[in-house]
Amino acid sequence: MRVGIFDSGIGGVSVLKSLLQAKLFEEIIYYGDTARVPYGTKDRETIITYSLEALDFFSPYKIDLLIIACNTVSAYALEILREKAPYPVIGVIEAGVLAVQNKLPNKEDSILILATEATTNSQVYPNALSALGYKNIQSIATTLFVPLVEEGIYEGEILQSTFKHYFHSISTPPKGIILGCTHYPFISKAISEYFKEESLLIHSGEAIVEQLKSTLALKECDMQTKVSFYSSQSNLSLQKQALSLLSRTF
Ligand code: DGL
């Protein structure tokens, strides 16, 4: 199976990493719109326009499935991408919500959603969780985490100050934390430690692997997945950054 991964930039490598570990596909084509990242601070129309342009990128590659690694795109453009694409399109939000349902079945559990400003404003995560009966949901737009991760800041003072800035009003560790942005798995250790390792972290990449296994009945294959990296700027620079991020553990 040849699969496309689309992200606004480099962060989708967190999802790619989970897919590579799961060995579900023979070939993956990663496309990051690095020339126009971030999407998380843009408006609906812009996010939709850019996302539809990504379909044009993938058309010569004859992919069998498109995975939207970007939460912001999944929040605003999933339906329209599904209408326009000649192949199935899956997003990370449905997978994340499914993971909450499976791992935290108690509807009283407190769930904290961390995401970009656009994803937070869309209310897609809280609406989906409320519809399932979850009552104790809080969302925070943790916008600064994206540039910090892009700067290679995964721990330390600046990150701790940013945590205090966003989390100062949270007195008890939430039961579950949705890492609702591609970049956040790279600081998941620090987030977990901040909440005294008492919260279950829901990571889009792992969630999508579970969803693919259960809905498409995909199984681990023996061969090494072939990955090609493309971007709306320099392919080589994205590839270098991607390989460095792939070597990070989280
Ligand atoms: N990929 C985006 C997301 O998961 C984060 C970076 C951006 O704002 O474009 O929402």
Side-chain angles (χ1 to χ4, degrees), residues 184-200:
Y184 301 174
F186 296 107
I187 50 169
S188 58
K189 192 168 171 279
I191 295 175
S192 184
E193 282 168 7
Y194 182 90
F195 289 108
K196 305 185 183 80
E197 298 186 344
E198 284 177 27
S199 308
L200 178 85

mmCIF file of all heavy atoms in Angstrom, residues 184-200:
data_model
loop_
_atom_site.group_PDB
_atom_site.id
_atom_site.type_symbol
_atom_site.label_atom_id
_atom_site.label_comp_id
_atom_site.label_asym_id
_atom_site.label_seq_id
_atom_site.Cartn_x
_atom_site.Cartn_y
_atom_site.Cartn_z
ATOM 1 N N TYR A 184 3.460 18.174 19.755
ATOM 2 C CA TYR A 184 3.464 17.950 21.205
ATOM 3 C C TYR A 184 4.064 16.612 21.654
ATOM 4 O O TYR A 184 4.618 16.550 22.758
ATOM 5 C CB TYR A 184 2.054 18.140 21.786
ATOM 6 C CG TYR A 184 1.463 19.524 21.554
ATOM 7 C CD1 TYR A 184 0.147 19.810 21.909
ATOM 8 C CD2 TYR A 184 2.209 20.552 20.970
ATOM 9 C CE1 TYR A 184 -0.403 21.074 21.693
ATOM 10 C CE2 TYR A 184 1.659 21.811 20.736
ATOM 11 C CZ TYR A 184 0.356 22.060 21.094
ATOM 12 O OH TYR A 184 -0.197 23.300 20.876
ATOM 13 N N PRO A 185 3.980 15.547 20.854
ATOM 14 C CA PRO A 185 4.643 14.309 21.305
ATOM 15 C C PRO A 185 6.127 14.510 21.603
ATOM 16 O O PRO A 185 6.696 13.819 22.445
ATOM 17 C CB PRO A 185 4.433 13.336 20.141
ATOM 18 C CG PRO A 185 3.161 13.810 19.526
ATOM 19 C CD PRO A 185 3.198 15.312 19.628
ATOM 20 N N PHE A 186 6.750 15.484 20.929
ATOM 21 C CA PHE A 186 8.184 15.703 21.157
ATOM 22 C C PHE A 186 8.465 16.290 22.546
ATOM 23 O O PHE A 186 9.596 16.247 23.019
ATOM 24 C CB PHE A 186 8.788 16.597 20.058
ATOM 25 C CG PHE A 186 8.718 15.950 18.705
ATOM 26 C CD1 PHE A 186 7.827 16.385 17.739
ATOM 27 C CD2 PHE A 186 9.523 14.862 18.404
ATOM 28 C CE1 PHE A 186 7.739 15.769 16.506
ATOM 29 C CE2 PHE A 186 9.451 14.230 17.168
ATOM 30 C CZ PHE A 186 8.551 14.679 16.218
ATOM 31 N N ILE A 187 7.422 16.859 23.194
ATOM 32 C CA ILE A 187 7.610 17.343 24.574
ATOM 33 C C ILE A 187 6.720 16.552 25.549
ATOM 34 O O ILE A 187 6.421 17.006 26.645
ATOM 35 C CB ILE A 187 7.330 18.872 24.700
ATOM 36 C CG1 ILE A 187 5.986 19.261 24.066
ATOM 37 C CG2 ILE A 187 8.480 19.673 24.109
ATOM 38 C CD1 ILE A 187 5.536 20.677 24.398
ATOM 39 N N SER A 188 6.310 15.352 25.111
ATOM 40 C CA SER A 188 5.384 14.574 25.948
ATOM 41 C C SER A 188 6.006 14.179 27.292
ATOM 42 O O SER A 188 5.320 14.153 28.315
ATOM 43 C CB SER A 188 4.881 13.335 25.204
ATOM 44 O OG SER A 188 5.959 12.538 24.830
ATOM 45 N N LYS A 189 7.321 13.905 27.305
ATOM 46 C CA LYS A 189 7.974 13.513 28.551
ATOM 47 C C LYS A 189 7.878 14.670 29.556
ATOM 48 O O LYS A 189 7.507 14.474 30.716
ATOM 49 C CB LYS A 189 9.436 13.156 28.247
ATOM 50 C CG LYS A 189 10.144 12.484 29.368
ATOM 51 C CD LYS A 189 11.473 11.900 28.880
ATOM 52 C CE LYS A 189 12.307 11.410 30.041
ATOM 53 N NZ LYS A 189 13.023 12.482 30.711
ATOM 54 N N ALA A 190 8.189 15.874 29.071
ATOM 55 C CA ALA A 190 8.149 17.052 29.950
ATOM 56 C C ALA A 190 6.715 17.332 30.419
ATOM 57 O O ALA A 190 6.499 17.663 31.595
ATOM 58 C CB ALA A 190 8.719 18.258 29.215
ATOM 59 N N ILE A 191 5.739 17.170 29.535
ATOM 60 C CA ILE A 191 4.338 17.406 29.922
ATOM 61 C C ILE A 191 3.939 16.393 30.993
ATOM 62 O O ILE A 191 3.352 16.725 32.021
ATOM 63 C CB ILE A 191 3.383 17.316 28.695
ATOM 64 C CG1 ILE A 191 3.682 18.440 27.704
ATOM 65 C CG2 ILE A 191 1.915 17.349 29.134
ATOM 66 C CD1 ILE A 191 2.885 18.387 26.401
ATOM 67 N N SER A 192 4.298 15.140 30.744
ATOM 68 C CA SER A 192 3.956 14.077 31.680
ATOM 69 C C SER A 192 4.578 14.353 33.062
ATOM 70 O O SER A 192 3.908 14.230 34.092
ATOM 71 C CB SER A 192 4.444 12.763 31.090
ATOM 72 O OG SER A 192 4.074 11.719 31.885
ATOM 73 N N GLU A 193 5.846 14.745 33.058
ATOM 74 C CA GLU A 193 6.522 15.021 34.334
ATOM 75 C C GLU A 193 5.873 16.207 35.048
ATOM 76 O O GLU A 193 5.738 16.208 36.269
ATOM 77 C CB GLU A 193 8.014 15.295 34.089
ATOM 78 C CG GLU A 193 8.782 14.006 33.872
ATOM 79 C CD GLU A 193 10.197 14.214 33.351
ATOM 80 O OE1 GLU A 193 10.654 15.371 33.272
ATOM 81 O OE2 GLU A 193 10.823 13.198 33.001
ATOM 82 N N TYR A 194 5.486 17.221 34.272
ATOM 83 C CA TYR A 194 4.845 18.403 34.879
ATOM 84 C C TYR A 194 3.594 17.972 35.661
ATOM 85 O O TYR A 194 3.328 18.480 36.740
ATOM 86 C CB TYR A 194 4.471 19.419 33.789
ATOM 87 C CG TYR A 194 3.851 20.677 34.356
ATOM 88 C CD1 TYR A 194 4.649 21.773 34.709
ATOM 89 C CD2 TYR A 194 2.474 20.766 34.578
ATOM 90 C CE1 TYR A 194 4.090 22.911 35.259
ATOM 91 C CE2 TYR A 194 1.912 21.899 35.128
ATOM 92 C CZ TYR A 194 2.726 22.974 35.467
ATOM 93 O OH TYR A 194 2.166 24.101 36.019
ATOM 94 N N PHE A 195 2.850 17.017 35.110
ATOM 95 C CA PHE A 195 1.632 16.540 35.776
ATOM 96 C C PHE A 195 1.916 15.287 36.621
ATOM 97 O O PHE A 195 1.050 14.436 36.801
ATOM 98 C CB PHE A 195 0.520 16.288 34.749
ATOM 99 C CG PHE A 195 -0.036 17.573 34.178
ATOM 100 C CD1 PHE A 195 0.235 17.945 32.871
ATOM 101 C CD2 PHE A 195 -0.804 18.421 34.956
ATOM 102 C CE1 PHE A 195 -0.262 19.136 32.345
ATOM 103 C CE2 PHE A 195 -1.313 19.609 34.436
ATOM 104 C CZ PHE A 195 -1.036 19.977 33.136
ATOM 105 N N LYS A 196 3.134 15.198 37.125
ATOM 106 C CA LYS A 196 3.576 14.159 38.075
ATOM 107 C C LYS A 196 3.351 12.744 37.541
ATOM 108 O O LYS A 196 3.084 11.802 38.303
ATOM 109 C CB LYS A 196 2.859 14.325 39.413
ATOM 110 C CG LYS A 196 3.019 15.704 40.012
ATOM 111 C CD LYS A 196 2.377 15.749 41.396
ATOM 112 C CE LYS A 196 2.451 17.113 42.018
ATOM 113 N NZ LYS A 196 1.434 18.069 41.556
ATOM 114 N N GLU A 197 3.364 12.603 36.238
ATOM 115 C CA GLU A 197 3.172 11.311 35.557
ATOM 116 C C GLU A 197 1.870 10.643 35.959
ATOM 117 O O GLU A 197 1.760 9.418 35.959
ATOM 118 C CB GLU A 197 4.392 10.402 35.783
ATOM 119 C CG GLU A 197 5.609 11.068 35.169
ATOM 120 C CD GLU A 197 6.888 10.269 35.157
ATOM 121 O OE1 GLU A 197 6.960 9.284 35.891
ATOM 122 O OE2 GLU A 197 7.786 10.663 34.406
ATOM 123 N N GLU A 198 0.887 11.477 36.304
ATOM 124 C CA GLU A 198 -0.415 10.916 36.709
ATOM 125 C C GLU A 198 -1.436 10.948 35.572
ATOM 126 O O GLU A 198 -2.546 10.445 35.723
ATOM 127 C CB GLU A 198 -0.954 11.705 37.914
ATOM 128 C CG GLU A 198 -0.235 11.327 39.203
ATOM 129 C CD GLU A 198 -0.680 12.136 40.397
ATOM 130 O OE1 GLU A 198 -1.831 12.610 40.399
ATOM 131 O OE2 GLU A 198 0.148 12.304 41.302
ATOM 132 N N SER A 199 -1.085 11.589 34.451
ATOM 133 C CA SER A 199 -2.051 11.699 33.349
ATOM 134 C C SER A 199 -1.688 10.739 32.219
ATOM 135 O O SER A 199 -0.514 10.510 31.946
ATOM 136 C CB SER A 199 -2.048 13.125 32.780
ATOM 137 O OG SER A 199 -2.220 14.070 33.792
ATOM 138 N N LEU A 200 -2.732 10.227 31.573
ATOM 139 C CA LEU A 200 -2.509 9.372 30.403
ATOM 140 C C LEU A 200 -2.453 10.284 29.173
ATOM 141 O O LEU A 200 -3.384 11.058 28.939
ATOM 142 C CB LEU A 200 -3.668 8.386 30.274
ATOM 143 C CG LEU A 200 -3.583 7.487 29.069
ATOM 144 C CD1 LEU A 200 -2.723 6.273 29.395
ATOM 145 C CD2 LEU A 200 -4.964 7.050 28.627
#
